[in-house]
Amino acid sequence: MNRLRTIDVALDEMLVNLAAIVLRLSKPDVTRTPEARRALAQSVHQYAVCAKRSRDPRVHDLKSRLEETLKPSLRIVAKDGVKVS
């Protein structure tokens, strides 16, 4: 059983490291093209699938942060000085 725990911890560490890489690649200056955005979305999805069974809270936090990178940035639009949604 100790070997399984060791493997589980190693996988969690790998997921944390992978998330750090994907987060660096999610920067707007890296994901300028539609192809890069699709690749990012695929990487985030694959990470989420792998993270699903993890019990490590860091992995789930990073999953949430990665999923946030896929959401479009919203702009506040104003017309005649009044905010328009």
Side-chain angles (χ1 to χ4, degrees), residues 37-54:
R37 292 291 299 163
R38 279 193 295 275
L40 174 63
Q42 184 176 7
S43 295
V44 171
H45 174 72
Q46 289 174 340
Y47 182 87
V49 169
C50 293
K52 188 175 184 178
R53 293 183 170 225
S54 175

